[in-house]
Amino acid sequence: MAAKGILSAIKEDLDAYVGKKIRLKANRGRKKVIERVGILEKTYPNIFVVKLDEKKNSVRRVSFSYTDILTEAVELTVCREDGEVKICGNKS
């Protein structure tokens, strides 16, 4: 039950940043880490969706679960004009 509360708290944190530009750092295993910039498009009960601007005419959407943030497989950072603020992931 405690884990469910933690996951809902992560979702609530992300809800405040829907539509904002974020930096995504995802560990894909075997020392493969991707870093991209995109827009936090939508949060759902079990997943969230990030719209990535890969190329000028190509848009790609990726989704992650809130568990990915809890296990630190994904880190999210809000990109702001006055600096970046880490919202989820490793807080160090």
Side-chain angles (χ1 to χ4, degrees):
M1 285 294 199
K4 189 170 185 170
I6 293 170
L7 295 178
S8 63
I10 292 171
K11 181 189 181 304
E12 288 176 16
D13 285 348
L14 288 180
D15 284 341
Y17 296 103
V18 171
K20 305 283 188 211
K21 186 176 179 180
I22 61 168
R23 181 177 312 279
L24 168 76
K25 184 176 179 183
N27 182 355
R28 292 293 196 183
R30 294 204 174 241
K31 298 181 183 176
K32 192 178 204 182
V33 176
I34 62 165
E35 290 189 48
R36 300 282 189 273
V37 174
I39 305 289
L40 180 59
E41 190 171 55
K42 185 116 176 152
T43 59
Y44 294 98
N46 296 314
I47 63 168
F48 61 95
V49 179
V50 178
K51 182 169 72 170
L52 303 175
D53 243 347
E54 293 291 314
K55 296 177 184 162
K56 293 188 184 230
N57 297 327
S58 173
V59 174
R60 181 175 165 214
R61 288 174 175 83
V62 292
S63 63
F64 297 97
S65 71
Y66 302 113
T67 307
D68 293 331
I69 293 174
L70 184 63
T71 61
E72 298 183 352
V74 173
E75 293 179 19
L76 297 178
T77 308
V78 177
C79 301
R80 300 190 323 190
E81 290 180 15
D82 61 343
E84 294 184 349
V85 177
K86 192 165 287 194
I87 54 171
C88 293
N90 187 359
K91 302 245 181 194
S92 56

